[in-house]
Amino acid sequence: MSLKQGIRIADLAEHKGQSVTLQGWITFRRDSKGIVFAGLRDGSGFAQVVVAEDRVSPEAYQTAQSLQLENAVRLHGTVVHNERMNEMELEVTDLELLHAGAEYPITRKAHGVEFLMDHRHLWLRQPKQWAMMRVRNRLVYAIHRFFQERGFMQLDPPLFTANAVEGTTTLFETDFYGEPAYLSQSGQLYGEALAMAHGLIYTFGPTFRAEKSKTRRHLSEFWMIEPEMAFYDLDDNMDLIEEFIVFIVRDMLEGCAKELELLERDTTMLEKVSKGFPRLSYDEAVAIIRGEQAVDGRKSLDVLAEDLKAVEEEIAANEKDIAEREAAIAAGGMKKGAVNFNRNKIDQLIARNKELAERASNIPQWMESARNFQHGEDFGGSDETVLTRLFDKPVMVYRWPAAIKAFYMKRDPEFPDYVKGVDLLAPEGYGEIVGGAEREDDLDLLLARIKAHDLPQEAFEWYLDLRRYGTVPHAGFGLGLERLVTWLSGTHHIREAIPFPRAYGRLKP
RNA sequence: UCCUCCAUAGCUCAGUUGGUUAGAGCGGUUGACUGUUAAUCAAUAGGUCCCUGGUUCGAGUCCAGGUGGGGGAGCCA
């Protein structure tokens, strides 16, 4: 893909030896006598450009020497292969400064969360954030391809709604011509109506939850994919979830290798994502969490105890490393560059140990919580981690106690206190990314559950009509896009998985 | 709503039992160095120590309240 003027960095290799024009922004500058090295990014990638004093005009060289972070430039030069870095770079013959601008606030050094979030509009330009957005884009495209290739229609539910889909969660209230209206927390009920019209559908849009959650897994505004399939039961639903997850993970590994490398994502666990996800009933899952049932000869509490030991050993090793580096610096005689290198290394080790110390203090709590897990409760974050730790693929948990699940889930005829719901838990501590169910298709049962959940029946009359006119078995699921991006990119916090996160305490920029 | 931690230079942080003029690295600026890889070397500018009140001869440091933020619980995708 070419620009109106010049080419893009992503296409540099195709132009080896040619004279080309690049346009972009400066990511770094280092100079030495007679030579300036600068980094350039243009949205398609990153490359180094080299300005040698004897190859350009004196004016151009002076401009090159004065380049600052995020200056906008247009460069002309020859594409060459840099043997040292094994990368394509540009030997500049001429350059124009398009905009010099002010001193750029984000540097290549460490920054705190608050500072970065306040500068999110600029942070997005940094390589890791750039890679993250590329992963997000790839996933969105793969999701559409997966469903479109299988005959699903993408149709959009309304975002203004009159009532909650699930009575419990908090809603954002707005004013709709004088009437209270709420921002949608799920498009599912509308998805069911659309499935009765089109058979196979999916919705893909923003949803809003006014939960005052400050955790790494929650956003107030997030994007959800919600397929709904007529004539599907719970097993069909689980088959589709599995096929879907395998498809998008494979596609991303194939299409985003460069991005995952920039993100320093260890892809070992992702490469194991293939058909045959473990399917556990809620009852089995509870037994495993409590340590009553082994998986491949291993019990949850034993594995956690081993993990704790490993964490403690790593902390001790890091402390020894830190002490040695500090002693070496204190001994003197070290060059400044080496001192900086060791200081940075020490900072990294301290940060790592802080993380490990948190985990070390968490694990005994997880064990305690796992041991005392009460049958009938929903899983907490730590229970999900404990369970998935025993498997090397995403885990499906199905047939949940009716009391803790939404009113619309279908009662299991063979297990009257359970519903035909399913959650998909991602490995590596990322937890729940999919929640789905076969829907209750019996009008009388649905009416009873609306009453039992204390929901206003009149608000659901249109939904009940779906059971009055040609009701059929149907099922669907919801997938949080940002949780998927967070998991696949190996990111610590969900706020980096969306361009401009909206969360409790975060409305700007 | 609850628990817990934090706020000092543009950024990341140190700052001793409360004691003279507030410290480092990075970033900026100036200069040196002909292939740098978060380059290196030298010099230099840069501060309302979050806000309000209190204790004290004296507060960046102690106390109370507030504001902003981090992590977690609950709830969820």
Side-chain angles (χ1 to χ4, degrees):
Chain A
M1 170 83 195
S2 63
L3 298 172
K4 283 189 176 171
Q5 297 188 49
I7 64 163
R8 301 195 87 191
I9 288 171
D11 304 325
L12 267 184
E14 295 165 23
H15 297 270
K16 190 177 173 185
Q18 296 174 14
S19 180
V20 302
T21 299
L22 288 176
Q23 299 177 102
W25 298 265
I26 298 299
T27 59
F28 70 84
R29 190 207 71 226
R30 285 184 277 271
D31 56 19
S32 197
K33 189 177 171 68
I35 193 162
V36 174
F37 303 97
L40 186 75
R41 60 169 192 88
D42 72 348
S44 80
F46 301 84
Q48 175 165 277
V49 299
V50 184
V51 188
E53 191 169 17
D54 54 16
R55 272 203 304 265
V56 296
S57 67
E59 297 74 29
Y61 190 68
Q62 202 177 357
T63 304
Q65 282 182 306
S66 68
L67 288 174
Q68 289 188 298
L69 290 185
E70 291 303 317
N71 284 180
V73 292
R74 181 178 298 130
L75 304 162
H76 311 279
T78 310
V79 181
V80 299
H81 184 256
N82 180 328
E83 301 297 336
R84 286 183 186 79
M85 309 209 294
N86 193 26
E87 278 171 15
M88 302 309 293
E89 69 178 23
L90 191 73
E91 279 184 358
V92 175
T93 51
D94 195 16
L95 76 159
E96 299 165 57
L97 183 59
L98 302 177
H99 184 240
E103 186 186 328
Y104 193 65
I106 300 180
T107 69
R108 287 156 75 82
K109 304 283 176 174
H111 294 285
V113 172
E114 190 182 359
F115 177 80
L116 290 171
M117 287 303 300
D118 286 343
H119 293 84
R120 182 59 176 169
H121 50 295
L122 302 177
W123 189 21
L124 288 166
R125 302 180 183 190
Q126 304 306 112
K128 280 196 180 179
Q129 300 304 313
W130 174 86
M132 189 93 62
M133 292 304 114
R134 306 250 314 173
V135 167
R136 181 185 170 104
N137 172 68
R138 181 85 191 191
L139 285 169
V140 169
Y141 185 46
I143 288 162
H144 282 297
R145 258 177 37 231
F146 178 85
F147 287 118
Q148 295 288 338
E149 283 169 5
R150 284 159 184 77
F152 284 65
M153 293 273 292
Q154 196 238 309
L155 294 163
D156 306 305
L159 299 186
F160 282 118
T161 60
N163 272 96
V165 172
E166 303 169 28
T168 51
T169 33
T170 332
L171 297 163
F172 286 106
E173 189 174 333
T174 64
D175 177 87
F176 191 79
Y177 307 113
E179 297 282 318
Y182 305 92
L183 295 182
S184 175
Q185 63 186 172
S186 165
Q188 187 207 303
L189 302 189
Y190 297 96
E192 290 185 47
L194 293 165
M196 296 306 117
H198 290 274
L200 302 174
I201 68 99
Y202 66 110
T203 66
F204 194 161
T207 46
F208 308 89
R209 308 249 171 120
E211 297 157 357
K212 290 182 178 173
S213 303
K214 293 180 79 168
T215 81
R216 65 180 70 154
R217 299 198 313 280
H218 289 87
L219 290 169
S220 303
E221 176 182 295
F222 64 97
W223 287 67
M224 192 147 65
I225 299 97
E226 295 182 282
E228 194 70 34
M229 299 75 69
F231 306 106
Y232 269 50
D233 65 13
L234 179 63
D235 290 326
D236 299 329
N237 201 17
M238 290 198 279
D239 290 345
L240 185 70
I241 290 169
E242 182 176 294
E243 189 184 351
F244 171 64
I245 295 294
V246 169
F247 179 90
I248 58 177
V249 172
R250 287 271 173 80
D251 177 79
M252 205 228 17
L253 284 173
E254 198 179 303
C256 290
K258 187 178 59 181
E259 287 79 7
L260 292 172
E261 198 185 324
L262 259 177
L263 290 162
E264 297 174 83
R265 174 61 159 132
D266 177 349
T267 56
T268 314
M269 288 298 282
L270 296 182
E271 274 149 23
K272 290 179 183 166
V273 175
S274 57
K275 290 224 173 142
F277 293 179
R279 296 184 187 188
L280 310 171
S281 70
Y282 171 87
D283 288 355
E284 284 177 280
V286 169
I288 292 169
I289 289 169
R290 283 175 168 174
E292 295 161 2
Q293 186 176 323
V295 177
D296 293 334
R298 301 191 304 164
K299 288 188 175 175
S300 64
L301 297 176
D302 302 334
V303 171
L304 284 178
E306 285 165 29
D307 286 353
L308 181 58
K309 204 177 150 202
V311 166
E312 281 167 348
E313 278 166 8
E314 191 184 338
I315 289 174
N318 288 343
E319 273 170 0
K320 195 179 160 211
D321 195 354
I322 289 168
E324 281 169 6
R325 288 175 193 276
E326 273 172 351
I329 292 170
M334 197 184 281
K335 284 187 79 175
K336 198 176 161 192
V339 171
N340 283 341
F341 176 81
N342 278 299
R343 284 224 176 103
N344 290 333
K345 204 79 195 169
I346 288 168
D347 286 349
Q348 282 171 16
L349 288 168
I350 287 171
R352 171 75 182 153
N353 265 7
K354 216 169 156 185
E355 228 174 83
L356 291 171
E358 195 190 322
R359 200 183 302 172
S361 75
N362 279 337
I363 289 176
Q365 290 174 37
W366 294 356
M367 291 172 76
E368 186 66 16
S369 157
R371 199 180 287 123
N372 298 324
F373 188 89
Q374 295 294 308
H375 186 278
E377 284 178 5
D378 205 349
F379 296 164
S382 74
D383 304 315
E384 293 174 352
T385 305
V386 170
L387 182 62
T388 55
R389 175 70 186 80
L390 295 165
F391 299 91
D392 59 4
K393 286 184 186 183
V395 177
M396 291 203 225
V397 181
Y398 66 95
R399 199 196 298 139
W400 289 77
I404 54 169
K405 287 292 182 184
F407 78 92
Y408 51 73
M409 292 193 184
K410 185 176 175 64
R411 198 64 70 110
D412 191 325
E414 292 171 46
F415 302 87
D417 293 333
Y418 292 79
V419 290
K420 298 175 85 172
V422 56
D423 282 359
L424 180 74
L425 308 178
E428 302 171 86
Y430 285 96
E432 184 180 348
I433 54 167
V434 170
E438 186 174 334
R439 318 305 186 188
E440 185 55 73
D441 49 6
D442 182 286
L443 178 62
D444 293 331
L445 281 175
L446 203 48
L447 280 169
R449 304 223 39 201
I450 285 174
K451 199 161 280 177
H453 278 76
D454 231 6
L455 297 169
Q457 190 185 317
E458 65 281 5
F460 292 96
E461 282 302 331
W462 69 265
Y463 180 68
L464 293 166
D465 270 356
L466 304 176
R467 275 69 177 172
R468 294 187 178 109
Y469 307 105
T471 184
V472 297
H474 62 292
F477 63 90
L479 170 103
L481 177 64
E482 288 75 16
R483 284 197 178 171
L484 187 69
V485 173
T486 306
W487 166 39
L488 297 182
S489 63
T491 306
H492 181 68
H493 201 296
I494 197 168
R495 67 184 153 225
E496 296 181 37
I498 184 168
F500 295 97
R502 292 291 175 261
Y504 184 52
R506 177 59 60 182
L507 183 59
K508 290 183 276 186

